[in-house]
Amino acid sequence: MIPVDFDGAAPALVAEAQIEENMAAAGYKPPASYATFARENGGKRYSGPNRFVRNLDSGEPIGLSTVYHYDPRVPLYSVQDIREQVAGLLPEGLFPIISTEFGGEVCLDYRGGDDQPSVVLYDYEAQEGREIGRLAPNFPAFLEAIGPRPAD
């Protein structure tokens, strides 16, 4: 992955404990390996034509864009900023973690009250009733689906 171009300071690496605290403050428990992924990749953009995951419902490839970060000094692409922007747009229980190439949200899906949420796509432009598509049954399966891939 490559860093996102930021005006001013780029997001700093944030301790995994801080990511866990941030999610707990929002009422969520991070799934296995999410805090490590967010720490290492927050503020980075997927590059190249092979940065996609398939929608399990439609088979459509979903291009990934930017991994949201947890550095409170840099609002651009921060989880806090994105959650404020999408408040009232995303269904309750969806926690955005990555943007897609076309402005959708890859989210952890806590609607089932699970400690191991599935990973879904929320597509703002989809037909009513089809806004949410399954990407992986859990976060480790999502990581397996997206990588590892060589750097571009």
Side-chain angles (χ1 to χ4, degrees), residues 3-4 9 17-18 20 22 27 31 36 56 65 67 72 77 90 99 118-119 122 133:
V4 173
Q18 185 176 344
E20 292 167 359
N22 183 292
T36 301
L56 297 177
S65 184
V67 178
Y77 295 112
L90 285 180
S99 65
S118 62
V119 181
Y122 187 83

Side-chain angles (χ1 to χ4, degrees), residues 82-83 86-96 105 107 122-124:
I82 297 301
R83 284 182 47 84
V86 301
L89 299 174
L90 285 180
E92 190 68 32
L94 295 187
F95 188 90
E105 305 289 345
C107 300
Y122 187 83
D123 183 351
Y124 298 100

Side-chain angles (χ1 to χ4, degrees), residues 35-136:
T36 301
F37 172 81
R39 178 184 188 282
E40 293 174 358
N41 297 294
K44 293 181 181 174
R45 182 175 311 154
Y46 282 85
S47 60
N50 295 324
R51 304 299 190 211
F52 65 89
V53 63
R54 290 214 179 267
N55 182 325
L56 297 177
D57 296 322
S58 68
E60 174 186 14
I62 305 300
L64 302 175
S65 184
T66 303
V67 178
Y68 300 139
H69 68 84
Y70 286 84
D71 183 351
R73 302 171 310 115
V74 182
L76 186 63
Y77 295 112
S78 74
V79 168
Q80 176 72 20
D81 181 50
I82 297 301
R83 284 182 47 84
E84 289 172 5
Q85 288 181 35
V86 301
L89 299 174
L90 285 180
E92 190 68 32
L94 295 187
F95 188 90
I97 59 171
I98 302 172
S99 65
T100 68
E101 289 179 332
F102 298 108
E105 305 289 345
V106 173
C107 300
L108 299 172
D109 185 358
Y110 289 94
R111 293 176 301 160
D114 217 347
D115 279 352
Q116 289 300 316
S118 62
V119 181
V120 299
L121 167 70
Y122 187 83
D123 183 351
Y124 298 100
E125 297 178 354
Q127 292 178 330
E128 188 173 337
R130 295 184 180 208
E131 299 92 350
I132 298 174
R134 296 176 306 122
L135 300 179

Side-chain angles (χ1 to χ4, degrees), residues 132-143:
I132 298 174
R134 296 176 306 122
L135 300 179
N138 55 48
F139 191 72
F142 176 73
L143 290 180

